[in-house]
Amino acid sequence: MGEPKLIPLAIFPLLFFVISTSSLHLLTASDADDAIFYESFDEAFDGRWILSDKDEYNGVWEHAKSEGHEDYGLLVSQKARKYAIVKELDEPVSLKDKSVVLQFETRLQNGLECGGAYIKYLRPQEAGWKPKEFGNDSPYSIMFGPDKCGATNKVHFIFKHKNPKSGEYVEHHLKFPPSVPSDKLSHVYTAILKPDNKLQILIDGEEKKKANFLSSEDFEPSLIPPKTIPDPEDKKPEDWDEREKIPDPNAVKPDDWDEDAPLEIVDDEAEKPEGWLDDEPEEVDDPEATRPEDWDDEEDGEWEAPKVTNPKCEAAPGCGEWKRPMKKNPAYKGKWHAPLIENPAYKGIWKPQDIPNPDYFELKKPDFEPIAAIGIEIWTMQDGILFDNILIAKDDKIAASYRETTWKPKFFVEKEKQKEEDSDTESSGLASIQKKVFDLLYKIADIPFLSAYKLKIHNIIEKGESQPNLTVGILVAVVVIVLSIFLRAIFGGKKTPARVVKTDTPATETSTSQGDGENEEDKEEETSKAPRRRVKRDN
C-alpha cells in the first residue's frame, strides 16, 4: 500500500469557512423565528431602509461586499460626511420585564481615526420624529456602539430615561466603557439588558463590561438621584477658620538673619588661568570669506564678513576680558518666615449642610421607552465603515448562534489574511534594512585606507546580496577586516621615518603608496574652500 497523502495545512482555513458558511442557513433558519429583528443586508436596502432628507446628511450609503467576502453589508462610502438612515420595526420592542439583546457587526475597513460607528434604537414616532426627517435630535431609547476621535475611544452605551419628577428625558452614560478594537477586521458588538437591572457589553462574544442600571458607580448621571443634597442657601460663617496651621505669632526673626544677602557672590579666591588671552576676541571675521560679486550695498546693505571662532582661543583657556566666577553665598538665608504651628481656632473645611433632595425618587427598575426603529446617524472622517447583521433577540443564546454563523467565519478568514500581510510587511521591512546595510558596507569599502582590500570587501558584499540570510555574518566579516587593518596600522611596529625632501611641487601633486588618483582626489577635497556666505548687515 502507498503512503497516505497529507492534506496541506493551508486548506483548513478554507475548509472551516466553507463548512461554517454552508451551515449558516440551517442555524439561522431555526433562530430566525426566535429573533425579534434581523437584518443581514443580503438584499439591497432600497425601499426597506429610509434615507434622511435633511441636507446635512449628504453621505452616500452603498450596498457593498465586505472586502475578501461575498457577504454584503451597509457601507459608508465617502469621507468627511454625515450619514443618516433608519429602519422601522414591524412592532415596537419592549425593554421592560424581560431580557433583550442588541447586536450588530461593524468592519472599519480603512480604520477609524475620527468618527462614529454606533446605532440608535429609536422611540416610537409619537415621541416627535419622522423617518424622512431622521437626524441628531430624533429621540432614542438607547445608543450603542463604537466612537473614536481624539481623546474619545469607547464603545458607547447611553440610555435616555424620563425623570418621573420633572418629566424631562435625561441621557445616562455608561462609565468607563470598553475601547474600540484598533484593527480593520469585522467585530461584533453585543449589549444584553436583563430584567434584574444588569447590563453586559460583549465584543466578539467576550464580556468587556458589566453594569447595573441603578448604580451611581456605573452610570453618569446616576439614574436615581441622591437622597440628600448640599443646602444651596447655607453660607459659611464669617468667623469660620479653615487654616489647619498658622505662622507662630510669637516667633521673632533672629538678629543675625540677613534677608538682603545675595544667593551668589564673587569668588575672590579664583585666579585667572595661565595663558588667558585678554586681548583676543572670541570671534573674528572669516579670513576665507570674500564679498560676493553680485553684492549690492544699496540693496543688500554694507557687506560684512561672517564671524568664525577665533582659532587662537581654541588653544587657550579662554579669550576676552576675564572675570571672577560666582559662587554660592554661605551667608544667604532668604526671606524670613515664622514657623507654622497648629491653629487653635481651626474648625475644618466648611461645607454646607445636607438637606433632603426635592428631586429624589425611588425606582426599582428603569422605565425604558420601547424601541420602534433602528437608525444609524453618524459623522465620520473615514469611509469604508461596513454595518452588517443587525439583530434584536430575546436572549444571548440566539445572539451567540448568530455570532458563530455570521461573524466568526468572516473573522477567521480576515485574521489569517492579516497574518499573511503582516508577515509580508515584516519581510519587506527586513529587505529594506538589508539594503541599507549593504549600501553602508559599499561606502566603507570606498574609504581610502581600505583601498587595498576594496575588491575583497566587494566580493563579500555581493555574496551577501545573493544570500540575504547571511547579512549579519557579512556585516561581522567586514567589521573584522576593518578592525584588523586599523589595529595593524596602530600596533604593527615602528616604521622607518620618511625623509622629508623640500620640493617646489605643489602638495596636491605628491603621490602616496595608496595611489596617485585617490590621494589627489582626497587632497582636492581637503583644500576646497567652504562656500562663500552672504551676510546682510542690519540697518
Side-chain angles (χ1 to χ4, degrees), residues 291-303 534:
R291 175 189 171 106
E293 295 180 0
D294 60 345
W295 189 275
D296 187 334
D297 287 339
E298 293 184 0
E299 181 181 340
D300 302 324
E302 182 182 351
W303 182 84
R534 171 184 285 190

Side-chain angles (χ1 to χ4, degrees), residues 163 165 214 216 220-230 354-362:
N163 185 306
K165 284 264 185 168
L214 303 184
S216 61
E220 178 66 34
S222 174
L223 182 61
I224 301 176
K227 287 186 177 182
T228 61
I229 59 171
D354 287 339
I355 61 173
N357 183 2
D359 296 325
Y360 173 75
F361 57 84
E362 293 185 358

Side-chain angles (χ1 to χ4, degrees), residues 10 27 36 38 68 80 123 131 134 159 171 203 257 267 325 341 354 366 373 397 426 451 478-479 487 510:
L27 259 71
I36 300 172
Y38 176 60
R123 292 159 53 193
F134 173 53
F159 71 95
E171 284 188 358
I203 301 179
W257 192 287
D267 186 359
I341 61 171
D354 287 339
K397 291 182 180 179
E426 290 176 4
S451 59
V478 174
V479 170
L487 294 176
T510 305

Side-chain angles (χ1 to χ4, degrees), residues 198-433:
K198 299 292 179 61
L199 168 69
Q200 281 180 282
I201 302 294
L202 314 180
I203 301 179
D204 298 344
E206 180 181 349
E207 183 181 282
K208 296 294 184 179
K209 180 72 177 180
K210 291 178 70 174
N212 188 310
F213 287 110
L214 303 184
S215 173
S216 61
E217 300 296 321
D218 293 331
F219 284 92
E220 178 66 34
S222 174
L223 182 61
I224 301 176
K227 287 186 177 182
T228 61
I229 59 171
D231 184 358
E233 303 296 329
D234 195 10
K235 305 296 180 183
K236 182 171 71 172
E238 294 182 0
D239 61 346
W240 191 281
D241 196 338
E242 293 184 325
R243 297 174 300 165
E244 188 173 355
K245 291 188 175 184
I246 59 172
D248 185 355
N250 299 320
V252 179
K253 182 175 71 173
D255 294 335
D256 62 345
W257 192 287
D258 184 3
E259 292 185 329
D260 298 325
L263 177 63
E264 292 184 329
I265 58 175
V266 176
D267 186 359
D268 293 326
E269 298 178 357
E271 296 183 358
K272 181 169 65 175
E274 186 177 349
W276 190 280
L277 306 178
D278 297 85
D279 300 328
E280 289 290 341
E282 295 183 2
E283 290 187 336
V284 295
D285 291 344
D286 185 354
E288 297 184 357
T290 58
R291 175 189 171 106
E293 295 180 0
D294 60 345
W295 189 275
D296 187 334
D297 287 339
E298 293 184 0
E299 181 181 340
D300 302 324
E302 182 182 351
W303 182 84
E304 292 181 355
K307 298 291 185 180
V308 295
T309 301
N310 189 343
K312 295 180 181 180
C313 297
E314 295 180 356
C319 290
E321 181 185 358
W322 180 81
K323 295 181 180 179
R324 283 189 171 87
M326 303 295 286
K327 68 175 184 179
K328 186 177 180 180
N329 183 6
Y332 172 77
K333 293 185 177 181
K335 186 73 175 176
W336 181 83
H337 297 280
L340 297 177
I341 61 171
E342 299 292 333
N343 181 6
Y346 174 68
K347 294 184 177 180
I349 303 299
W350 183 87
K351 61 178 182 179
Q353 64 179 346
D354 287 339
I355 61 173
N357 183 2
D359 296 325
Y360 173 75
F361 57 84
E362 293 185 358
L363 202 65
K364 292 185 177 180
K365 57 180 55 184
D367 187 18
F368 288 116
E369 297 285 344
I371 297 172
I374 294 174
I376 304 175
E377 185 272 322
I378 58 174
W379 175 89
T380 177
M381 292 301 293
Q382 269 72 48
D383 57 356
I385 300 175
L386 192 79
F387 292 87
D388 199 6
N389 296 313
I390 301 174
L391 172 73
I392 301 177
K394 299 175 183 178
D395 59 57
D396 187 44
K397 291 182 180 179
I398 300 169
S401 70
Y402 276 88
R403 291 195 296 268
E404 287 292 321
T405 57
T406 64
W407 166 74
K408 186 171 284 187
K410 290 188 294 186
F411 181 78
F412 183 83
V413 172
E414 292 164 10
K415 192 88 170 177
E416 291 300 313
K417 184 178 180 181
Q418 185 184 54
K419 287 181 181 178
E420 294 177 4
E421 291 175 351
D422 291 345
S423 177
D424 292 341
T425 301
E426 290 176 4
S427 300
S428 176
L430 179 59
S432 176
I433 293 173

